[in-house]
């Protein structure tokens, strides 16, 4: 049972829950996103608080729906993990040119240290690249406050706002004092073609408008943007943002500290004025040395961390090293027991078969990525969501025939809906000479991130009934030659023989292996029962 | 039971599925109800599939970083014997290690409440009113589990006191 969030005053909340609560209090009309650690809980909590929340097939579709909500004059919260913003980058860059009427916040939950991600990209770059303001909270209170502030800035300048969280902000519990909720203004369509139709004739002035907005926001940040100063001695001044600010204050309680919340566009003159007071000024930032480079480019003389600290997340011990200039080898973190596929997990059978057949496996992202580890050791590639199908096709196109025949692409059901559909179209359209085989591991949930629904489960975020995508029909409609649905629970199917048969043909094939995730199965039965009862009541 | 920053640092360690996160949620809530500034942190994600899990809880007048620095843990609570050695370096020199050895063999009615029994043991070395512990346990667990966990908490508390 989770803590009761609907009942102020002060509560202990995770950063994710704080964003959800603020979204509710600030009158958000729709929360929409795609699951991804560490962002997933935002929409789950928003739904639990009776906010209107939806899982979208992927981050691009989520952001586009959010843009529509904001064009309608209502507030939208779009959530995703850092790599999700790559998927949503196309709408992001052009939404920056448009005028939104309702506030639009895009949460990018970054994962420095890769607790549960395939890379540790630093999404502060996106604020610069797209030209969008970025807020970075240090704790749950700021996550709450900056969600409010994000909507205010977004509506004042009619611009989408990036709210960048990191794993430790998302998942740490810290106290939050909420404010009084407001009633949202009603949505209403306002026609504004030059601000919303990005053909070159309108986009050219729109780009100029964007730069003007950013200049005004920078001036606001200089005058009254959120900024926190703790004055200590004059020997050392530390400039930091996000969770690093907390590590820095603990690591050097005697030093002076400056941190600020709107990290793009920077309050450069405030930083310059503050920095003149100290013998040494040091920038403490997680990830890429971005802030330090920008301050130096502005002619502010600051010290930086060494290259070693670009990697992984910071903590108090590492910040102490940065302060003392200790660049020696760091102690290796303790090697814990690695995770493994649950006993009875349906993915196990498939990887056993693939291993026995000595397949070259183009893999994808989900629980099943654990198929790369012993005892299966049955995965050869994993890049990003959806890449299994297309990377597998590339391997088939280039490898000598004997090897090409062994290539199989393996993809989860949620991942297939997220970004496997276009890959399947590619396979039907440009089949390799040896054909190809894609296996969808349909465990009827998004298991990896904690069992979220998606269009293939036929249930919405709140587990009520929704339209269900039929993978067999999709494969056939796309023009895949052989499409087969295998119910793993049925005792008489020989999965290995079925795979071998597909590999022997020079044609395209899709096998859907269906069996619910063992952890999710009891809940799925319950959702189905509840949904069936609801349908019989209304009919 | 405090280190130099007047912050108390607790680390709870074990394996996915043992209720480590629930235990640290309850501990954080307890300290919060007792009027402390509190921060709690752990890495989610892969943990649900049986891997190692640790969760940090810090409380005091003012807590800064949510993560306990290595070597500054005041109390290390370990729910799974195989996880003791790996986490021992987290303890400060005179820190307290609490393992499942404090619970008399066979005394726990239901293995699922080991996490709460260990919180009972922890409660005997922290100066927080027992009422706050029980309120936090009830706030985080379903009503039908309250009796079982109240008993587990009492068992752990009693066992550690007489240890
Ligand atoms: C662009 C992007 N968005 C989100 C994620 C997080 N994520 C990784 S795998 C995955 C889906 C896993 O579900 P599924 O494919 O059904 O496999 P399962 O875990 O159920 O085996 C998600 C949401 C990601 N890695 N990249
Ligand atoms: S959570 Fe489900 S899909 Fe993931 S390993 Fe366990 S049984 Fe398999």
């Amino acid at each position: 049972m989770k803590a009761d969030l609907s009942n102020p005053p002060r509560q202990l909340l995770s950063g994710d829950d704080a964003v959800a609560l603020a979204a509710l209090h600030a009158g958000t009309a729709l929360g929409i996103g795609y699951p991804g650690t560490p962002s997933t809980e935002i929409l789950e909590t928003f739904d639990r608080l009776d906010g209107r929340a939806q899982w979208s097939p992927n981050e691009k579709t989520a952001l586009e729906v959010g843009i529509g909500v904001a064009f309608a004059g209502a507030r939208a919260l779009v959530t995703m993990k850092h790599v999700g913003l790559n998927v949503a980058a196309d709408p992001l860059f052009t939404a920056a040119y448009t005028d939104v009427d309702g506030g639009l916040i895009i949460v990018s939950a970054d994962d420095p240290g890769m607790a549960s991600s395939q890379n540790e990209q630093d999404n502060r770059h996106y604020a610069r690249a797209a030209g969008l303001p970025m807020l970075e909270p240090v704790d749950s209170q700021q996550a709450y406050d900056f969600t409010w502030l994000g909507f205010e800035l977004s509506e004042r300048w009619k611009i989408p706002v990036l709210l960048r969280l990191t794993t430790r902000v998302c998942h740490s519990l810290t106290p939050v004092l909420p404010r009084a909720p407001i009633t949202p203004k009603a949505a209403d369509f306002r026609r504004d073609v030059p601000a919303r139709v990005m053909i070159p004739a309108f986009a050219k002035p729109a780009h100029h408008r964007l730069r003007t907005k950013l200049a005004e926001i920078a001036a606001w940040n200089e005058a009254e943007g959120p900024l926190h100063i703790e004055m200590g001695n004059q020997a050392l001044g530390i400039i930091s943002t996000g969770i690093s600010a907390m590590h820095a204050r603990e690591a050097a309680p005697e030093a002076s500290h400056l941190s600020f919340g709107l990290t793009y566009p920077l309050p450069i003159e405030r930083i310059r004025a503050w920095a003149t007071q100290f013998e040494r000024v040091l920038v403490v930032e997680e990830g890429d040395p971005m802030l330090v480079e920008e301050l130096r480019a502005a002619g502010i003389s600051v010290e930086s961390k060494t290259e070693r600290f670009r990697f992984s997340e910071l903590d108090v011990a590492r910040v102490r090293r940065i302060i003392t200039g200790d660049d020696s080898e760091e102690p290796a973190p303790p090697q814990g027991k690695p995770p493994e596929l649950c006993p009875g997990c349906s993915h196990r059978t498939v990887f056993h078969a693939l291993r026995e057949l000595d397949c070259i496996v183009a893999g994808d992202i989900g629980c099943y990525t654990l198929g790369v580890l012993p005892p299966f050791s049955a995965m050869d590639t994993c890049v990003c969501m959806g890449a299994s199908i297309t990377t597998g096709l590339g391997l088939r196109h280039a490898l000598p025939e004997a090897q090409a025949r062994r290539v199989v692409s393996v993809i989860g059901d949620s991942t297939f809906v997220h970004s496997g559909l276009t890959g399947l179209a590619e396979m039907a359209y440009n089949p390799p000479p040896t054909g190809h085989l894609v296996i969808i591991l349909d465990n009827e949930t998004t298991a990896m991130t904690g069992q979220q629904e998606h269009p293939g489960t036929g249930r919405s975020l709140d587990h009520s009934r929704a339209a269900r995508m039929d993978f067999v029909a999709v494969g056939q409609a796309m023009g895949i030659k052989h499409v087969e649905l295998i119910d793993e629970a049925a005792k008489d199917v020989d999965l290995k023989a079925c795979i071998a048969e597909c590999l022997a043909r020079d044609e395209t094939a899709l096998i859907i292996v269906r069996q619910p995730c063992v952890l999710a199965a009891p809940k799925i039965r319950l959702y189905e029962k509840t949904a069936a009862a609801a349908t019989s009541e209304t009919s | 039971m405090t280190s130099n920053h007047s912050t108390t640092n607790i680390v709870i360690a074990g394996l996915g599925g043992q209720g480590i996160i629930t235990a640290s949620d309850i501990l954080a809530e307890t300290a919060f109800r007792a009027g402390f500034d509190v921060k709690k942190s752990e890495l989610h994600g892969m943990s649900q599939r049986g891997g190692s899990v640790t969760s940090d809880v810090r409380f005091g007048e003012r807590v800064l970083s949510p993560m306990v620095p290595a070597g500054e843990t005041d109390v290390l609570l370990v729910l799974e014997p195989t996880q003791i050695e790996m986490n021992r370096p987290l303890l400060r020199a005179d820190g307290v290690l609490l393992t499942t050895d404090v619970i008399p063999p066979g005394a726990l009615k239901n293995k699922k409440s080991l996490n709460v029994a260990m919180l009972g043991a922890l409660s005997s070395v922290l100066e927080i009113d027992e009422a706050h512990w029980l309120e936090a346990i009830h706030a985080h667990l379903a009503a039908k589990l309250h009796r079982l966990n109240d008993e587990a908490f009492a068992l752990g508390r009693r066992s550690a006191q007489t240890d």
Side-chain angles (χ1 to χ4, degrees):
Chain A
M1 214 161 73
K2 301 266 175 69
D4 178 12
L5 301 188
S6 52
N7 182 23
R10 237 164 132 258
Q11 327 167 39
L12 205 50
L13 297 183
S14 70
D16 280 352
D17 286 354
V19 170
L21 186 64
L24 184 82
H25 289 171
T28 303
L30 184 67
I32 187 160
Y34 181 74
T37 313
S39 69
T40 313
E41 293 89 336
I42 300 173
L43 291 187
E44 291 180 329
T45 300
F46 190 57
D47 171 65
R48 197 155 46 80
L49 294 170
D50 276 338
R52 188 165 161 213
Q54 296 173 0
W55 291 130
S56 200
N58 68 30
E59 294 86 354
K60 171 174 148 66
T61 52
L63 176 53
E64 290 157 352
V65 173
I67 292 168
V69 170
F71 282 170
R75 291 184 165 180
L77 178 77
V78 184
T79 70
M80 60 196 70
K81 70 184 286 160
H82 60 337
V83 285
L85 203 51
N86 302 334
V87 177
D90 198 8
L92 182 81
F93 278 70
T94 305
Y97 283 21
T98 66
D99 280 358
V100 295
D101 277 3
L104 174 59
I105 293 184
I106 301 148
V107 175
S108 165
D110 289 17
D111 191 14
M114 294 177 271
S116 189
S117 302
Q118 69 267 36
N119 76 19
E120 58 180 340
Q121 69 183 53
D122 185 337
N123 276 6
R124 292 179 300 165
H125 290 291
Y126 270 113
R128 279 91 184 149
L132 288 176
M134 174 173 273
L135 289 161
E136 292 188 72
V138 300
D139 60 12
S140 304
Q141 181 69 59
Q142 279 196 346
Y144 180 88
D145 293 338
F146 287 0
T147 304
W148 279 90
L149 179 60
F151 282 129
E152 286 154 20
L153 297 177
S154 176
E155 285 168 6
R156 178 162 170 193
W157 277 284
K158 295 182 175 292
I159 191 171
V161 169
L162 287 163
L163 179 64
R164 177 181 181 255
L165 311 176
T166 54
T167 302
R168 294 290 176 174
V169 173
C170 290
H171 285 166
S172 296
L173 301 193
T174 71
V176 174
L177 184 64
R179 333 178 176 175
I182 57 160
T183 312
K185 67 174 164 62
D188 189 25
F189 186 69
R190 182 180 65 85
R191 172 164 285 151
D192 189 351
V193 171
R196 302 225 178 115
V197 181
M198 288 304 126
I199 55 171
F202 297 141
K204 283 174 191 171
H207 187 197
H208 286 274
R209 270 202 311 279
L210 168 62
R211 296 296 146 186
T212 307
K213 289 179 187 181
L214 287 171
E216 286 174 17
I217 295 169
W220 176 85
N221 204 13
E222 295 283 7
E224 54 183 306
L227 183 130
H228 182 87
I229 289 174
E230 290 193 12
M231 283 309 279
N233 64 30
Q234 313 277 286
L236 176 62
I238 296 180
I239 300 169
S240 54
T241 56
I243 193 78
S244 312
M246 287 297 177
H247 304 324
R249 285 178 218 164
E250 179 162 341
E254 69 295 339
S256 298
H257 295 271
L258 169 75
S259 54
F260 48 96
L262 185 68
T263 59
Y264 184 81
L266 291 173
I268 208 89
E269 295 312 321
R270 279 170 111 180
I271 298 171
R272 190 194 307 280
W274 187 80
T276 55
Q277 308 173 71
F278 309 99
E279 286 160 39
R280 265 182 87 194
V281 181
L282 174 68
V283 173
V284 172
E285 61 185 323
E286 226 162 32
D288 296 334
M290 197 179 310
L291 182 55
V292 81
E293 282 169 10
E294 286 174 347
L295 296 184
R296 283 177 179 165
I300 304 172
S301 166
V302 287
E303 290 176 31
S304 171
K305 61 183 182 182
T306 54
E307 181 64 9
R308 171 187 307 282
F309 300 100
R310 179 199 291 267
F311 306 97
S312 199
E313 62 176 0
L314 296 182
D315 56 24
V316 173
R318 299 190 88 203
V319 173
R320 285 190 188 124
R321 282 169 171 262
I322 292 172
I323 293 168
T324 56
D326 179 354
D327 197 30
S328 63
E329 203 60 44
E330 298 174 88
Q335 280 302 307
K337 182 173 174 287
E340 53 185 63
L341 292 174
C342 300
C345 172
S346 50
H347 298 333
R348 286 176 173 264
T349 330
V350 177
F351 285 112
H352 268 304
L354 292 172
R355 186 171 165 90
E356 281 179 16
L357 290 166
D358 193 24
C359 290
I360 296 171
V361 181
D364 222 300
I365 309 190
C367 273
Y368 52 95
T369 313
L370 292 170
V372 69
L373 300 177
F376 312 103
S377 307
M379 191 171 291
D380 297 285
T381 70
C382 170
V383 180
C384 65
M385 289 185 75
S388 56
I389 299 179
T390 29
T391 308
L393 289 170
L395 287 166
R396 283 251 183 184
H397 285 305
L399 286 174
E401 191 186 323
Q403 288 182 0
R405 282 192 186 289
R406 290 161 49 208
V407 179
V408 177
S409 295
V410 172
I411 186 167
D413 50 339
S414 185
T415 304
F416 177 70
V417 177
H418 177 282
S419 45
L421 290 162
T422 45
L424 205 63
E426 165 68 16
M427 168 159 111
Y429 186 54
N430 293 313
T434 56
H436 189 44
L437 169 63
V438 171
I439 301 178
I440 300 180
L441 302 169
D442 184 4
N443 60 2
E444 303 187 57
T445 189
T446 315
M448 170 90 177
T449 43
Q451 305 163 7
Q452 289 74 31
E453 307 290 357
H454 60 76
T457 70
R459 287 176 302 271
S460 310
L461 185 143
D462 66 359
H463 312 294
S464 61
R465 225 167 239 161
R468 181 170 188 173
M469 186 186 292
D470 179 342
F471 295 155
V472 173
V474 166
Q476 287 163 343
M478 292 245 189
I480 306 300
K481 285 274 160 51
H482 302 272
V483 182
E484 229 169 305
L485 175 68
I486 295 182
D487 182 349
E488 245 201 12
K491 292 281 172 286
D492 55 339
V493 294
D494 185 345
L495 183 63
K496 194 174 141 191
C498 182
I499 294 172
E501 213 175 286
C502 290
L503 293 177
R505 287 191 291 249
D506 289 340
E507 288 171 340
T508 55
L510 174 68
I511 301 178
I512 299 133
V513 180
R514 180 167 295 163
Q515 194 187 342
C517 153
V518 293
L519 287 194
K523 286 179 227 163
I524 294 176
R525 280 196 295 274
L526 188 71
Y527 303 145
E528 285 303 314
K529 228 170 90 186
T530 316
T535 334
S536 67
E537 253 168 47
T538 52
S539 59
Chain B
M1 189 47 60
T2 53
S3 60
N4 37 354
H5 301 291
S6 80
T7 296
T8 302
N9 294 324
I10 317 278
V11 175
I12 307 181
L15 293 178
Q18 284 194 302
I20 304 292
I21 308 231
T22 305
S24 65
D25 278 341
I26 293 171
L27 167 59
E29 177 82 21
T30 302
F32 188 59
R33 282 171 188 259
F36 291 107
D37 186 21
V38 182
K39 290 189 179 174
K40 172 194 122 120
S41 178
E42 70 266 323
L43 295 176
H44 297 209
M46 301 293 237
S47 56
Q48 52 175 308
R49 277 155 297 272
S52 301
V53 188
T54 63
S55 182
D56 298 1
V57 180
R58 315 186 75 191
F59 59 90
E61 205 173 306
R62 183 177 179 226
V63 182
L64 294 167
S65 170
M67 294 129 84
V68 176
E72 294 182 25
T73 306
D74 298 299
V75 188
L76 173 63
L77 199 67
V78 192
L79 273 65
E80 160 61 43
T82 58
Q83 303 296 299
I84 297 172
E85 282 322 305
M86 167 193 134
N87 288 296
R88 201 187 284 275
L90 299 178
L91 267 179
R92 68 181 164 88
D94 53 349
V96 176
L97 172 68
L98 284 174
T99 68
T100 50
D101 288 349
V102 296
I103 313 287
L108 193 66
K109 277 202 194 130
N110 186 329
K111 253 178 57 188
K112 285 214 161 130
S113 53
L114 175 67
N115 57 350
V116 174
M118 291 301 290
L119 288 178
L122 175 66
S123 76
S124 73
V125 300
L126 298 178
E127 276 158 32
I128 299 183
D129 204 0
E130 188 174 355
H132 293 311
W133 283 100
L134 295 175
E135 285 161 19
I137 290 170
H138 294 176
H140 280 273
L141 299 172
K144 61 173 194 258
L145 301 173
H146 288 181
R147 244 200 50 211
L148 180 75
N149 283 283
D150 288 354
E151 285 170 18
F153 181 81
L155 170 72
R157 191 170 165 92
R158 204 167 53 235
S159 310
Q161 275 163 346
T162 54
D163 215 25

